[in-house]
Amino acid sequence: MEPIQTSLKKYMQDAGWEDALQRVQQTVLNDTRVNGWLAENDKELHEDAVAQGMTALLEYKNSWRNCDQCPGLANCPNPMPGYQPELYPEHGQIQMRYHPCPLQIAANRRKHQASLVKSLYVSEEFKKASFENMEIDDTDDTRATALETALEFEREANPGENGQGLYLHGMFGVGKTYLIAAIANALAERQIQSLLVYAPEFFREMRQAVGEGSVSEKIDAVKRVPVLMLDDLGAETMSNWIRDDVLGAILQYRMTEKLPTIYTSNWDYEELEGHLSYSNKGGEERMKAKRIMERIRPFTTELYLSGRNRRET
C-alpha cells in the first residue's frame, strides 16, 4: 500500500496546490520585514526553522500589511485586533508574539484614565469636562479666579503629602460641578485617582447601607480615595448620624492622612455650619457642627463662583 504522505503529495501536485503553496512561501520570504528579520537572526535558527515557522511568518507578513494600511482600531483585521506581531527565535525555531499597537496603547490609556475618575451619581457629561470648555466672563472676576485656582490645585495636588483642597460655592447652575469634574479629568492625566460623589445621594445610600450591613465598606471606599470631591454638600437632609458618623469619619481620616477634599455647595462656610448644626430631629448642635467645619475650613481654599444659571439656557 502506498504511504499516505506519498499519496497526499501526489494529490497536491496533481491539484496544483504544491505550486500555489510554494508561491505563497516565496512571497513571504521576499517580504522586506520577513527577509530582514531572517537575516538578522540567521545564526540563532536551525536549518528547518523557516519551513517549520512558515505559518508564523505568513501571519507576521499579513498582519503588518494590515497595520501599514491601518483601517482604524474598530476595524482592525488582525488575528488579535489592536495588536502588532513580533518574531523572536526560541530553541532554534521561529516564534511570534503580539504587542498592542499605538492606537491600542492610546485606547488603553484612555480607559485607564477613565478608571481613575470614578463618578457616583454624576451625569456622564461631566466625564468629558475640561478647563478649556469653561466659560469665562470678562466682567466677572470670580470665574477667572476659580479657574486659575483650580488649575493650580490640579498641577500641585499631592495626596498623602498635601491635604489642602477647595471649597467652591455659588448659586445653582453656575458651573461648580463642571469645574470640579474638569479637575478630576486633569488629575487622571497625572495618574491621580479621584472620586466625584453627589453628596445627597451618597448620604441617602448610607442610610440604606445600615440594613445591608455595608456601612463600613462604603465609608472606607470614599475616605481612602486620593482626591475626594463632594458635590452639592448641604443639599441633603442632615441627621446626627450622617453628620457625625459618616461625614465626620470620612473627613477625620482624610485630615489625618493628608488627602485633599474638594467640595461644592450653594452655601458659604458660615451657612454650611448653620446647616450642619441642625438635624432632621430638630434641635441645634453648634459644637458638633463646628467640629465638622474644623475638618473643612482649614483644609480648603474658599472660592465663590458667580454667573448666570446655565441650566436655564
Side-chain angles (χ1 to χ4, degrees):
M1 178 178 292
E2 187 176 35
I4 185 65
Q5 292 294 337
T6 303
S7 299
L8 182 59
K9 184 176 181 179
K10 182 179 179 181
Y11 174 77
M12 291 178 65
Q13 288 175 338
D14 292 343
W17 288 9
E18 189 170 4
D19 289 342
L21 181 60
Q22 288 179 351
R23 288 195 298 271
V24 171
Q25 292 175 342
Q26 194 59 50
T27 300
V28 171
L29 297 177
N30 288 338
D31 181 79
T32 302
R33 283 194 181 91
V34 172
N35 191 275
W37 186 89
L38 291 173
E40 183 179 341
N41 295 273
D42 179 62
K43 294 181 179 180
E44 298 186 53
L45 299 175
H46 291 166
E47 290 184 1
D48 65 343
V50 173
Q52 294 293 329
M54 187 55 65
T55 300
L57 292 174
L58 177 61
E59 185 174 324
Y60 177 81
K61 168 187 172 294
N62 289 341
S63 293
W64 270 108
R65 180 189 61 196
N66 294 335
C67 292
D68 291 337
Q69 303 171 359
C70 178
L73 192 58
N75 299 311
C76 178
N78 280 354
M80 291 183 62
Y83 287 76
Q84 294 173 327
E86 176 194 6
L87 297 173
Y88 65 98
E90 185 176 73
H91 305 305
Q93 297 298 324
I94 299 171
Q95 303 294 334
M96 187 169 63
R97 56 194 168 206
Y98 276 87
H99 298 290
C101 72
L103 292 181
Q104 185 66 54
I105 291 173
N108 291 343
R109 185 182 299 114
R110 288 192 296 271
K111 184 177 180 180
H112 177 59
Q113 289 173 344
S115 73
L116 292 173
V117 181
K118 298 179 180 178
S119 302
L120 299 180
Y121 321 117
V122 177
S123 172
E124 286 291 318
E125 69 176 290
F126 293 121
K127 292 185 178 181
K128 298 180 180 180
S130 67
F131 293 124
E132 290 77 6
N133 292 331
M134 278 290 298
E135 293 184 14
I136 301 298
D137 187 344
D138 293 337
T139 64
D140 183 1
D141 292 339
T142 67
R143 300 187 68 81
T145 300
L147 179 57
E148 182 179 351
T149 307
L151 283 165
E152 182 179 359
F153 172 86
E154 176 272 316
R155 289 193 300 266
E156 299 181 2
N158 190 10
E161 297 294 332
N162 183 353
Q164 288 299 121
L166 303 173
Y167 186 87
L168 188 63
H169 65 95
M171 294 304 293
F172 304 100
V174 295
K176 300 184 300 294
T177 304
Y178 188 93
L179 180 56
I180 66 170
I183 296 174
N185 293 331
L187 289 173
E189 294 284 345
R190 293 181 53 204
Q191 304 299 300
I192 296 177
Q193 183 181 1
S194 63
L195 184 70
L196 206 168
V197 177
Y198 180 56
E201 187 63 23
F202 172 70
F203 293 144
R204 183 193 64 78
E205 183 175 303
M206 290 304 303
R207 296 186 184 94
Q208 294 179 345
V210 174
E212 300 169 356
S214 58
V215 171
S216 295
E217 180 183 2
K218 290 181 183 296
I219 289 179
D220 282 348
V222 172
K223 76 181 185 182
R224 297 178 186 276
V225 69
V227 178
L228 174 63
M229 300 178 175
L230 288 176
D231 186 38
D232 215 3
L233 183 64
E236 69 287 332
T237 299
M238 188 55 64
S239 70
N240 294 351
W241 179 72
I242 289 293
R243 180 192 61 205
D244 302 331
D245 298 322
V246 177
L247 181 60
I250 291 171
L251 299 188
Q252 175 65 31
Y253 180 88
R254 299 188 65 78
M255 178 184 69
T256 302
E257 298 299 319
K258 296 183 179 181
L259 299 176
T261 305
I262 299 177
Y263 309 82
T264 74
S265 180
N266 296 132
W267 292 337
D268 62 21
Y269 286 143
E270 297 302 322
E271 291 168 329
L272 179 64
E273 182 174 328
H275 168 72
L276 293 172
S277 68
Y278 291 93
S279 73
N280 56 354
K281 294 183 179 180
E284 185 176 1
E285 295 180 309
R286 284 284 177 181
M287 289 306 297
K288 290 187 176 181
K290 287 182 180 296
R291 188 175 296 116
I292 296 296
M293 292 306 300
E294 281 303 302
R295 286 152 179 75
I296 297 177
R297 186 185 279 111
F299 301 100
T300 54
T301 298
E302 184 179 15
L303 296 169
Y304 175 66
L305 190 64
S306 62
R308 61 182 176 82
N309 187 339
R310 285 155 175 79
R311 297 173 189 166
E312 297 179 348
T313 58

